[in-house]
Amino acid sequence: MEIKITKNPNPSPKTPADKLGFGKVFTDHMFIMEYDHDNGWHDARIVPFGNLSVHPASTVFHYGAEIFEGLKAYRTPSGAIQLFRPLENIRRMNNSAERMCLPQLDEEFALKALETLVSLEKDWVPSEPNTSLYLRPFMFGNDAFLGVHTVNNCTFLIIASPVGSYYKEGLNPVSIMIETEDVRAVRGGTGYAKCGGNYGASFRAGKKAEEKGYSQVLWLDGVERKYIEEVGAMNVMFKVGDEIVTPALTGSILPGITRKSCIELLRDRGYKVSERLFSVDELREACASGALKEAWGCGTAAVVSPIGHLVIGDEIFTINNNEIGAVTQELYDTLTGIQWGRLEDKYGWIYPVK
Ligand code: PLP
Ligand code: COI
């Protein structure tokens, strides 16, 4: 399928890097295509960035038929632009689509769509330290029908946003609240899928955390409410003694691409990484005995982010003196080194954009 390009006649001025923040500024163009059962995906095009016209009865508004992805385009020291493991995002999107009965994407075509948009928007990929162009592919059902039924008509878009740090703390340790009332996901639910509803359902706990001065929420499992799952926009890892522990992918956790990359990097460097259940009780004991050495979150938007405090009710666990630990720093340096092209990519994770 060809991608028809219509250039934006009124490009926007670029926002200075120190004013970017996360997800507030958008580039001049977006990719869009439509789907229906009879015609499959069609009308692939890149058009000037702008509002959509969507029927008020569309499935997305009433029944939450929506999935999305998040990945970044990075500018290397030589000025080239590269993506990090983009096929992983496309495959995860297809897994999310399967869960939500939305149509599958052709992997190769989705990659071409990403590459074509980034290539057109290359001047929007910032070059200042820790900045990148965040890409947000998403898909939603838009049947003009109020019956509760799987989707027949669907729209897929990619929008792009130049970004700086996700957290205002940057690489400084964040404080995170362990949520004990609301749950994000349960096994058999949609936790492993990147669907909008998972995030909408997390707002109440997020608001509570914010009011108490915490950056994000750490979710516990929805059944026993004792095992640690993940943070709102990151997977989590703990260094307990010499073991790196990260919650196993039991179906209620998003299989993060940064998580997968961290595990591969750590194992390659000889660390013992266990994907297993990790309870708040074990966290408490590890903290009391001094075995808990480091904790960090990892995700595309947040990169690798040290966790300085975990708070549950009145109890505060302080980790590594609220300082970034050696393994967290090593992971951050290696991962960001590969992503921004400062380090050699011996894993084949980099996809250069022409
Ligand atoms: N967990 C959740 C709930 C997320 O939203 C994200 C971000 O995408 C992650 C984990 C990390 O996933 P990734 O490393 O693929 O960005
Ligand atoms: C990401 O890391 O890409 C995310 O999607 C996290 C969040 C902004 C939803």
Side-chain angles (χ1 to χ4, degrees):
M1 192 174 14
E2 281 308 299
I3 302 175
K4 187 172 170 241
I5 298 177
T6 308
K7 286 267 181 75
N8 189 334
N10 300 306
S12 302
K14 308 283 184 291
T15 307
D18 60 336
K19 300 266 178 332
L20 286 175
F22 181 86
K24 298 181 293 187
V25 177
F26 297 91
T27 65
D28 294 319
H29 301 88
M30 60 188 186
F31 175 91
I32 181 165
M33 64 180 174
E34 276 91 23
Y35 174 93
D36 64 65
H37 277 338
D38 292 336
N39 299 303
W41 289 110
H42 56 271
D43 279 346
R45 57 205 189 274
I46 289 176
V47 295
F49 188 92
N51 293 346
L52 301 175
S53 173
V54 182
H55 194 285
S58 280
T59 336
V60 63
F61 296 134
H62 305 276
Y63 310 124
E66 193 268 354
I67 55 173
F68 68 98
E69 269 304 323
L71 70 164
K72 286 171 170 173
Y74 305 85
R75 194 176 289 282
T76 71
S78 70
I81 295 169
Q82 56 190 33
L83 304 177
F84 183 73
R85 311 190 82 172
L87 267 178
E88 294 281 341
N89 291 89
I90 295 167
R91 287 179 184 149
R92 185 170 64 188
M93 189 156 208
N94 276 338
N95 288 338
S96 303
E98 194 279 330
R99 178 64 182 82
M100 302 296 286
C101 283
L102 292 166
Q104 295 287 300
L105 293 167
D106 178 85
E107 285 181 8
E108 223 169 280
F109 183 74
L111 192 55
K112 176 172 144 182
L114 278 169
E115 190 172 8
T116 310
L117 182 66
V118 173
S119 183
L120 185 71
E121 302 290 49
K122 56 181 180 305
D123 292 347
W124 280 96
V125 184
S127 54
E128 289 78 2
N130 304 320
T131 61
S132 55
L133 184 66
Y134 183 77
L135 303 166
R136 171 57 64 86
F138 63 108
M139 191 194 288
F140 60 90
N142 64 358
D143 287 324
F145 172 53
L146 290 181
V148 180
H149 194 268
T150 52
V151 165
N152 193 21
N153 289 273
C154 195
T155 306
F156 172 82
L157 291 103
I158 308 170
I159 55 175
S161 169
V163 298
S165 286
Y166 186 69
Y167 293 121
K168 62 174 179 357
E169 290 90 341
L171 192 55
N172 293 320
V174 292
S175 295
I176 288 180
M177 182 190 87
I178 303 178
E179 171 60 29
T180 52
E181 285 165 25
D182 293 355
V183 294
R184 176 184 175 276
V186 288
R187 253 161 274 170
T190 55
Y192 70 89
K194 212 162 161 64
C195 62
N198 289 344
Y199 297 79
S202 73
F203 286 169
R204 184 167 73 173
K207 181 167 170 256
K208 191 165 70 180
E210 202 176 302
E211 283 164 3
K212 293 183 175 175
Y214 305 116
S215 311
Q216 280 219 13
V217 170
L218 177 65
W219 298 101
L220 299 180
D221 78 280
V223 179
E224 299 190 57
R225 314 253 183 138
K226 63 182 204 190
Y227 297 108
I228 288 170
E229 297 232 304
E230 63 181 324
V231 175
M234 316 188 284
N235 294 110
V236 282
M237 299 190 171
F238 301 88
K239 182 166 186 280
V240 184
D242 289 331
E243 182 191 17
I244 314 282
V245 182
T246 190
L249 299 177
T250 49
S252 48
I253 299 176
L254 192 81
I257 295 154
T258 320
R259 173 189 183 278
K260 182 176 181 175
S261 308
C262 286
I263 292 173
E264 288 170 30
L265 279 175
L266 288 164
R267 289 197 175 136
D268 198 27
R269 284 162 186 241
Y271 289 101
K272 175 176 183 234
V273 185
S274 307
E275 297 175 70
R276 63 172 175 84
L277 295 178
F278 187 64
S279 67
V280 174
D281 287 342
E282 189 178 347
L283 173 77
R284 184 178 290 115
E285 276 164 32
C287 219
S289 71
L292 181 67
K293 304 291 183 202
E294 297 180 43
W296 63 91
C298 53
T300 299
V303 197
V304 173
S305 182
I307 301 173
H309 296 108
L310 281 172
V311 182
I312 181 164
D314 299 334
E315 232 179 322
I316 302 180
F317 305 118
T318 302
I319 302 152
N320 196 38
N321 225 358
N322 195 31
E323 284 164 20
I324 185 166
V327 178
T328 313
Q329 185 76 56
E330 181 184 352
L331 264 183
Y332 177 87
D333 290 345
T334 312
L335 197 64
T336 57
I338 295 171
Q339 289 170 331
W340 271 275
R342 293 186 296 266
L343 292 180
E344 185 206 346
D345 165 33
K346 62 172 183 159
Y347 303 98
W349 290 343
I350 290 305
Y351 184 89
V353 175
K354 287 181 229 63

